[in-house]
Amino acid sequence: MKYTYLAASLPTLSMDTMPPLTEDRFLLQCEGVMSENDYAEMQHILHQRRDRCLSSFSRQWCGFESALRHYIAEVRAGRLGLDPRTAVPYHDVSEALVKKTVLDAFAKSNPREREWTLDSARWYVLTELAREDPFGLNTILAYALKLRMAHRWAAMNAEKGAINLKRHVDTILDSQPVEAT
């Protein structure tokens, strides 16, 4: 099904700027326009209910995401001296992009740059999947996932980072109390 008006009315997104609409507003905008099945597909992919995703877009996206996470786990396992093949179940996606992205990301010493590299690859794949069906379901699903990603990046700042770091340090210290000497 084509969603020409909906797709054409969506504002442009970027990972490095605050999105012009919230996810709730976007979903409300889609609810009255999309077919029930397509809207349900969007809900399934946003909530990572991969077993319920039926579209070609969703299968391709979930395959890419699964392969990306597999190679991330392999690299992390290798760094810890563990057998990388037991890191996570393997999902067969033979894309050089997956391996290159993970290797490029883990070559970065800064965790934020590492995440940016991984999400940039995700953004690229979503853009390519949307091109297969301009103004159709693929475009709307890709937009929904990009919107979520853009909000995630817009929410990152030094203040929130310091709060999260303190919370993690406190959790570690609480779980392993230091004895006075």
Side-chain angles (χ1 to χ4, degrees):
M1 180 174 241
K2 294 291 183 192
Y3 298 109
T4 308
Y5 180 78
L6 175 62
S9 70
L10 296 172
T12 303
L13 296 175
S14 172
M15 276 190 353
D16 57 358
T17 57
M18 176 60 85
L21 73 158
T22 65
E23 187 174 313
D24 287 341
R25 185 168 165 222
F26 169 71
L27 292 173
L28 188 63
Q29 199 173 340
C30 293
E31 192 172 17
V33 177
M34 297 176 73
S35 72
E36 281 186 40
N37 289 341
D38 288 352
Y39 189 79
E41 183 77 3
M42 184 169 56
Q43 291 291 333
H44 296 322
I45 201 164
L46 283 172
H47 293 99
Q48 299 179 6
R49 296 187 291 241
R50 293 182 174 114
D51 58 323
R52 294 184 182 174
C53 292
L54 303 173
S55 70
S56 172
F57 173 96
S58 295
R59 286 190 304 275
Q60 290 177 70
W61 170 250
C62 291
F64 170 78
E65 186 65 23
S66 177
L68 188 67
R69 288 174 186 258
H70 171 78
Y71 287 116
I72 291 169
E74 271 192 15
V75 169
R76 286 182 175 155
R79 286 182 170 188
L80 295 171
L82 303 172
D83 182 359
R85 293 170 297 174
T86 62
V88 292
Y90 181 69
H91 190 287
D92 185 26
V93 172
S94 57
E95 288 192 26
L97 173 65
V98 172
K99 289 182 180 180
K100 181 183 180 331
T101 297
V102 173
L103 293 176
D104 288 350
F106 279 86
K108 312 261 191 272
S109 59
N110 181 319
R112 186 181 189 285
E113 290 175 11
R114 193 175 301 144
E115 278 298 307
W116 183 265
T117 301
L118 295 170
D119 278 353
S120 293
R122 288 178 173 109
W123 196 277
Y124 171 79
V125 168
L126 289 169
T127 300
E128 291 303 306
L129 289 173
R131 284 183 216 264
E132 293 176 13
D133 185 20
F135 304 106
L137 180 61
N138 288 10
T139 298
I140 305 304
L141 295 177
Y143 193 90
L145 291 165
K146 284 180 170 183
L147 181 62
R148 179 167 282 178
M149 201 180 315
H151 272 289
R152 178 177 168 263
W153 278 99
M156 291 185 200
N157 62 44
E159 181 183 335
K160 288 181 182 177
I163 290 168
N164 283 335
L165 176 62
K166 182 182 180 331
R167 190 183 76 232
H168 289 302
V169 168
D170 288 346
T171 300
I172 292 168
L173 291 176
D174 288 345
S175 67
Q176 299 175 351
V178 178
E179 292 182 24
T181 55

